[in-house]
Amino acid sequence: MKQTHGSSETWWKEGIIYQIYPQSFYDSNGDGIGDLQGIIQKLDYIKSLGVDIIWLNPIYDSPLDDNGYDISDYRAINPIYGTMDDFDEMLEEIHKRGLRLLMDLVVNHSSDEHDWFKESRKSKDNPYRDYYYWRGGKSEGPPNNWPAVFGGTVWEYDNATDEYYLHYFSKKQPDLNWENPKLRQEIVDIIRWWLDKGIDGFRLDVISMISKHLDFPKADGATLGEMFTQYYCNGPRVHEFVQEMYEKSLKDYDVMTVGEGPAITKEIGNDYTGQNRGELNMIFPLDLMFADWGPDGRFDPGSLDRRHIKRYFREWNDALGDDGWMSVFLDNHDFPRMVSRFGNDTTYRTESAKLLLTMLLTLRGTPSIHYGSEIGMTNVKLGSIDRYKDIESLNFYKVAIGKGMTDAEAIRRIEISGRDNVRTPMQWNDSTHGGFTTGKPWLESNPNHESLNVENEESANNGILAFFRQMTAFRKANKAMSYGVFTDLDPEHPHVFQYERKDVNGWFVVVLNMSDKITPYELSESKRQLLISNYTPGSNADELRPWEARIYSIS
Ligand code: TEU
Ligand code: CA
């Protein structure tokens, strides 16, 4: 088995990922939807951030039931984003600037409007029938009542052939049957088709879900989280499938892969990312993202003890060791804006945004920054359900109201934890819709764009944007930030995260006060020089100000 990666140094360990949600980044033709020409126009800005790898959420043909995570043609660009020529131009312009492009590959399921599914549902003996999972019938009913992620159950009855088909997500996202070698070959062909176009890798959607428990046992009363852990993820053949995919496609290219890993725990992280596994380079673990959810999942949000954040990074770092490789992120298009969820997006928005960016850019692992984090973009309060777009929030609202929850309570929960929070248009300036579009945006821009925008940040001297650029430059200038050993120097402190990064290239200590409290704090190293702080100099040596972040070099 060819090594997926040695402990050797490589671009995807040192690179910084910048995630672009295509619908929301920049609209070049005034139809209210971000597009590829819009991204091209902003590539110089992206380059100026000091990032290296663009992760683009799905831009393939799709009915947008789940905003593109329901693909109807894997080799076509959704016309709302532009043409394949626009894509080729964008890729060329990305490479011209020394940047790289990760595409988002969604192969646990397709759209129900994909030709494969249109064929599959035609008859029980159709050649494409076994590209999907069909079971049961009207008389015997579905195999079980497993809950679907976006509401209802995972089995949808199809009249035409009197059988049910499986969908872990929406009923317009039928799960692909990876038990079928023909389907697996189709995926290999798609991967090679895109890699031959010159892209630099993939983020693989819910890759831990592609192998099913084919007996589909009953699981009455389990929460969605328990379903992920016990039934939906890490199925019996998942490694066989991922290794075959790697062996037949990825291994022939100098590319990177990051698998989205629902229910991949630190104990099994290296089963997916170990250097000799021939599977993936890294994963996006989700256990921190789910950590403050109650039994009812996303819309049952709680609060998170700061020690949980420290423990997550420490334990994953220790579990992967030098064999696997970690990703470092605090939000993406599925989880609320990090400054609202893990920082303080009111009194200390600037300080806490800078602190969280410092954490992302000084921990061990490849950092992934969601668009807008470089200016501290926040969650949004839209107030009424008809202003929300995400299928997960809309379905939750319908069910919750149906069960008697008040509108106010349902909206409150969506405002805290819904996915539209982290998909609002990029805020370029203080003009209408934040300069994202001259038309009507597909999703409203956050009203705070009037003060919170790139233009204001560019002219601010102590702004978040300037700090972000300083931090990416610092990370690039110090390889110890990529490869240095990570040690948590104060695991027990309730809200101060103090850790060191150390190897032959350098020795640094990072101190982060993840709270609104002025905190008396004794630093562990005496021979230290303050390199970077998110407060103007003159910091009090034995006291940390609210959300104060400091980086020291140790001699
Ligand atoms: O996300 C899967 C996933 O784990 C999250 O959607 C989360 O579990 C869900 O929102 C529960 O609250 C991936 C994509 O990132 C997401 O955007 C898609 O909606 C989903 O898969 C289906 O493709
Ligand atoms: Ca457009």
Side-chain angles (χ1 to χ4, degrees), residues 57 65-66 98 166 173 182 188 195 252 259 276 294 320 350 370 383 403 424 440 463 471 491-492 536 550:
N57 292 99
D65 185 59
D66 182 14
L166 177 71
Q173 294 171 288
K182 285 202 208 86
V188 162
L195 294 180
D252 296 337
N276 295 315
L320 296 184
T350 296
H370 195 57
K403 287 182 179 166
T424 54
K440 181 176 180 299
M471 279 306 302
E492 290 318 307
T536 46
R550 298 182 195 161

Side-chain angles (χ1 to χ4, degrees), residues 75 116 128 131 181-190:
R75 293 181 178 82
W116 296 339
Y128 289 89
Y131 274 41
K182 285 202 208 86
L183 183 273
R184 298 203 304 267
Q185 185 56 47
E186 297 267 15
I187 305 296
V188 162
D189 295 345
I190 290 164

